[in-house]
Each structure stands twice: as C-alpha cells, then as structure tokens.
C-alpha cells in the first residue's frame, strides 16, 4: 500500500494509497484511511482555520490535527481510479514524530492482504478493522447499489464494511474524475483516527444544533437546511441522528443506521435509538451511561465559555468499544430471544471506556476566523440546547425511564 511516489520520484518519498474509512457512519464527504492512526478528508479553508485557532480547552473534544497532505487522482491500466497521497514538507513538519512514522507506514500482518480500493473494484475490506466480522446493512438509502449489496438485498461476506463510507467514497471519486484532470493536486487535512484504539468501535454520529446552514449559504441551501431541521428532531431537541453502527455480540455483526433514518425520527424515536446504540444484542450496557454523561457535561461546560463560536453543521461522535471485558458479559444463554431495542440491563457492570468528539467544522465560524464576515456574540445556544437535551435523555435511560 506504500509505493514510490509518482509525484516526487526524485526525492524518494513514499506515496500512500488512500482507502475508504470503513468506520465512517455519517457525513457526505469521503473520509479516507491514511494509516492505522490517521484519517484524511478534503481540505476546507474554514475547517483548517478552526483547527489552527483551536482553543486549548476544546482540544480534548476534537481530533488531533496532524497537517496537510497533497492527493492526486490516478488511474491504473484497468481504468480503476484511486487516490494517492504524497507527503508534503508542510504536512511533515506539522505532524512531526507523533504520528508513528505516518509517511512510511508498516501495516500489521492482518491488514497486509488488503486489495486495492478503486472506483469499480470494491471487493475486499481491511481485515484489521474488525477481524472476521461483518456489518449488517439496515435502513440505508441507496439500497439498490450493486457496490454495496447483492441483487437479493444481502450484503456479501466479502464486503465486511460499513456501506456508508464506500457510498461517500464512490461519490467523491465521481466528482473528482468529472471535474478535474488526473494531474491536479488536491489538499487534504490529516486528522487523528479517534476510533483506532477500539477493537469493535460502536459509533453514534449526532448532528448538533438547531441550525445547520453556514453564514455563507445560498438562499436555496439555507431554505433546504431550515426545512430539514424543522422536519426532524433538530428543531425540537437541537440534535438528530446522523449515522450509527453498533456491534451486536449475539451475531458478531454491526447494526448500521444512516442519516436518512435519523431524519425521520420523532423525539421518542430518537430516545429509542439512543437506547439501541447502547444495546449489544444481549443486554443494555448501562455501565456506559454515567461516563458518557460526565463527558458530555464536561463538553457542555467548555462550549458555554466559547464566545462567538457557531458550530453550524458540525457533528458529535459518541464512541465505545463493542468488545466487552469478561466481567461485563451477560450470563450464558441470556442473549436468547432478546429484542435489540429491549435488552436486559447487566448485573454489577463497571464503567467502560467511552469517548466524545466534535467533528466537521467546514461551516464553523468564530471571531477572527478566515473569510468570516459575520460575528456572533455569546456561546452557541443551539448547540447548547442540543447537548442539554442529549444529557437529559441519557440520564432518563440510566434511571430506567
């Protein structure tokens, strides 16, 4: 997956073949895997401005910014499209040694037999992402896409990935190939892979706030986003489901939901989906509720102090590991016949590791940000409203309501 760079052969640098990130559960831009600990996405100047001016208090709640890399669209002899990243001096300087030799990566043996990801050839997945496991596709919009499932509506075992990331990747390749020549260099942001430490990452992507359009949105885009908010829990709760994957211990598969599912939910449906996110097929993992709420409260405290920031169209990830420690597993046989949205709570369960991260800042604005022509006063009340409701609902689940 690392070869001689076609862009800078004289310098002996290594080019990296970018792969779809198999744990992308939401968004519309393609998120790509650079190495085990690093992902990359198309650079948007407003998002770069945010990371460059990131307040110290917010750093624990955002991915680590690792720099910028140049990416080129290439076509092989069979006509397959791929994206190659070529390290730049700017990115190398920004990353330093903390990335674990990000520019000359060495794959683990489990992932060394990955096939080449391309526009027309999506036949394998990275086996080191979730060894031997599948992801179950449910409620995905493009249900007739042959790249995502077979003619019978089933997801073949050889495609062991979350279909949403591949859907975004294919659309991204289509846009690039139709609008730009193969010689054009594209700039991508390098960011921390916030789920790399999890064996079976369970991820909830939440669109936060009561407003989603940026200050620079056209009238048509503004009207479209206002309509989406009014017709979803964004208006009533300040938060809606943008995507989800949950490891199901009883089947060894992931349960996946996409943003179209989230847009249709009522307030009660949103609450039930939060419950489903904490259910592993055997039981409700109530030991996760307290650490998630504590981290959300810590984030809420930070957001309340960020005057002039508006996190329009950003998302919040809640993450935990689907692989349980032995002391958290349910008694033998207890998984039989439990509905996935009505799991039994555990006995004597302990706290598990969880994470909460803000992502997607392409429309985030703040005083002093580049290209910002509108300055807002005070903290982002729409975001705060969503956080407060999210905390309230999770607390009600912990109380058994």
């Amino acid at each position: 997956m690392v070869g001689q760079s076609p862009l800078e052969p004289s310098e002996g640098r290594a080019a990296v073949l970018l792969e779809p990130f198999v744990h992308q559960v939401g968004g519309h831009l393609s998120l790509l895997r650079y190495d085990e600990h690093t992902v990359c996405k198309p650079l948007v100047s407003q998002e770069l401005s945010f990371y460059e001016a990131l307040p110290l208090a917010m750093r624990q709640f955002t991915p680590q910014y690792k720099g910028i890399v140049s990416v080129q669209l290439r076509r092989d002899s069979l006509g397959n499209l791929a994206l190659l990243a070529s390290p730049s001096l700017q990115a190398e300087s920004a990353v330093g040694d903390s990335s674990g030799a990000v520019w000359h990566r060495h794959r683990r043996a489990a992932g060394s037999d990955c096939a080449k990801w391309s526009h027309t050839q999506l036949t394998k997945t990275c086996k080191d992402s979730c060894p031997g496991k599948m992801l179950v596709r449910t409620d995905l919009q493009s249900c007739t896409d042959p790249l995502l499932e077979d003619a019978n509506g089933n997801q073949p075992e050889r495609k062991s990935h979350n279909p949403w990331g591949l859907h975004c990747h294919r659309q991204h390749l289509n846009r690039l190939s139709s609008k730009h020549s193969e010689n054009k260099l594209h700039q991508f942001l390098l960011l921390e892979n916030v789920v790399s430490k999890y064996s079976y990452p369970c991820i909830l992507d939440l669109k936060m706030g009561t407003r989603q359009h940026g200050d620079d949105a056209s009238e048509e885009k503004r009207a479209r986003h206002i309509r989406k908010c009014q017709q979803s829990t964004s208006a009533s709760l300040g938060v809606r489901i943008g995507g989800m994957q949950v490891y199901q211990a009883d089947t060894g598969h992931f349960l996946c939901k996409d943003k179209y599912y989230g847009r249709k939910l009522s307030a009660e449906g949103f609450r039930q989906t939060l419950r489903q996110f904490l259910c592993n097929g055997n039981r409700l993992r109530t030991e996760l509720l307290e650490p998630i709420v504590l981290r959300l409260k810590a984030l809420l405290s930070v957001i309340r102090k960020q005057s002039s920031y508006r996190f329009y169209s950003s998302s919040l990830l809640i993450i935990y590991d689907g692989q349980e420690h032995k002391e958290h597993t349910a008694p033998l046989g207890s998984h039989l016949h439990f509905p996935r949205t009505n799991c039994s709570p555990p006995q004597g369960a302990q706290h598990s590791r969880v994470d909460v991260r803000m992502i997607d800042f392409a429309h985030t604005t703040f005083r002093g940000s580049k290209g910002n022509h509108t300055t807002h006063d005070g903290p982002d009340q729409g975001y705060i409203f969503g956080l407060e409701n999210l905390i309230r609902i999770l607390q009600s689940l912990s109380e058994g309501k």
Side-chain angles (χ1 to χ4, degrees):
M1 308 304 275
V2 177
Q4 186 67 30
S5 170
L7 308 179
E8 303 168 301
S10 62
E11 297 184 23
R13 293 185 179 275
V16 176
L17 180 62
L18 301 178
E19 303 160 357
F21 183 57
V22 296
H23 296 302
Q24 180 177 355
V25 303
H28 66 278
L29 289 180
S30 178
L31 193 64
L32 300 167
R33 182 187 190 273
Y34 189 92
D35 71 359
E36 182 180 357
H37 301 290
T38 311
V39 296
C40 61
K41 61 185 296 189
L43 187 150
V44 176
S45 59
Q46 203 161 337
E47 185 164 33
L48 176 61
S49 176
F50 170 81
Y51 279 111
E52 289 177 336
L54 185 63
L56 181 62
M58 291 189 63
R59 291 182 184 176
Q60 64 171 308
F61 296 107
T62 59
Q64 178 194 358
Y65 166 60
K66 295 188 173 186
I68 301 170
V69 68
S70 296
V71 174
Q72 187 176 29
L73 185 70
R74 300 302 298 267
R75 191 183 302 269
D76 64 17
S77 59
L78 298 177
N80 297 320
L81 293 171
L83 291 171
L84 287 174
S86 185
S88 66
L89 293 176
Q90 179 183 2
E92 192 171 50
S93 173
V95 176
D97 294 331
S98 63
S99 61
V102 71
W103 308 122
H104 298 276
R105 63 179 179 167
H106 298 280
R107 287 186 177 274
R108 299 188 303 238
S112 61
D113 60 346
C114 289
K116 181 176 181 178
W117 293 98
S118 69
H119 180 53
T120 58
Q121 186 182 22
L122 295 173
T123 58
K124 280 191 176 182
T125 188
C126 297
K127 293 183 178 179
D128 57 352
S129 62
C130 283
K133 302 299 177 183
M134 287 181 60
L135 289 97
V136 175
R137 177 197 177 128
T138 61
D139 298 296
L140 288 168
Q141 180 75 357
S142 47
C143 58
T144 58
D145 191 330
L147 292 179
L148 302 181
E149 60 186 16
D150 63 20
N152 296 321
N154 300 315
Q155 187 181 11
E157 177 127 18
R158 65 185 177 87
K159 297 177 182 175
S160 308
H161 49 65
N162 188 318
W164 188 255
L166 298 184
H167 169 72
C168 295
H169 181 60
R170 192 191 62 173
Q171 288 191 328
H172 186 209
L173 286 177
N174 276 332
R175 287 193 298 268
L176 288 181
S177 61
S178 63
K179 294 181 179 180
H180 305 288
S181 68
E182 291 184 27
N183 295 324
K184 181 177 175 57
L185 290 179
H186 306 270
Q187 299 299 302
F188 277 53
L189 285 178
L190 289 166
L191 299 169
E192 173 192 3
N193 174 6
V194 297
V195 304
S196 63
K197 61 187 177 184
Y198 299 100
S199 300
Y200 301 98
C202 299
I203 308 166
L204 181 65
D205 182 310
L206 298 167
K207 274 286 184 185
M208 299 300 297
T210 54
R211 170 180 159 177
Q212 298 299 317
H213 61 275
D215 291 327
D216 59 346
S218 65
E219 287 300 319
E220 186 274 334
K221 187 173 184 180
R222 183 187 303 263
R224 187 171 69 249
H225 281 285
I226 290 174
R227 185 167 58 252
K228 288 178 184 176
C229 289
Q230 290 175 339
Q231 295 174 349
S232 69
T233 56
S234 291
S236 59
L237 298 176
V239 54
R240 72 171 184 258
I241 304 292
M244 183 177 81
Q245 70 176 38
V246 190
Y247 182 64
Q248 302 293 281
D250 58 336
T251 63
H253 297 174
F254 278 83
L255 174 69
C256 302
K257 304 287 186 181
D258 66 13
K259 65 181 182 182
Y260 301 104
Y261 168 86
R263 288 179 190 173
K264 297 182 294 184
L265 293 175
S266 63
E268 178 57 26
F270 178 87
R271 181 182 181 280
Q272 290 301 324
T273 302
L274 287 187
R275 181 180 174 87
Q276 186 177 50
F277 174 64
L278 296 168
C279 182
N280 68 2
N282 295 333
R283 65 180 185 85
L284 188 67
R285 295 189 61 182
T286 53
E287 78 277 6
L288 301 172
L289 285 163
E290 184 178 350
I292 290 174
V293 168
L294 287 175
R295 189 148 171 82
L296 289 172
K297 285 183 175 180
L299 173 60
L300 177 59
S301 177
V302 170
I303 295 298
R304 282 173 171 161
K305 298 174 184 177
Q306 304 309 313
S307 180
S308 84
Y309 276 81
R310 294 296 180 271
F311 303 100
Y312 300 137
S313 199
S314 71
S315 287
L316 185 66
L317 299 183
I318 300 178
I319 311 162
Y320 70 88
D321 202 335
Q323 185 178 59
E324 295 186 81
H325 299 294
K326 289 183 179 180
E327 62 267 24
H328 291 157
T329 56
L332 183 65
S334 64
H335 66 283
L336 298 177
H337 309 300
F338 277 123
R340 287 183 180 166
T341 57
N342 189 26
C343 298
S344 297
Q347 299 296 322
Q350 302 175 13
H351 287 178
S352 298
R353 184 176 58 184
V354 302
D355 204 355
V356 170
R357 300 291 187 105
M358 301 174 70
I359 60 168
D360 297 342
F361 305 103
H363 301 287
T364 292
T365 181
F366 56 94
R367 186 178 291 109
S369 61
K370 296 177 182 177
N372 176 32
H373 302 296
T374 304
T375 301
H376 301 274
D377 294 323
D380 189 335
Q381 294 298 333
Y383 199 104
I384 290 172
F385 178 65
L387 271 179
E388 289 175 337
N389 281 316
L390 181 59
I391 291 169
R392 175 181 56 79
I393 295 170
L394 288 170
Q395 287 177 327
S396 74
L397 290 177
S398 70
E399 296 165 0
K401 296 179 181 178

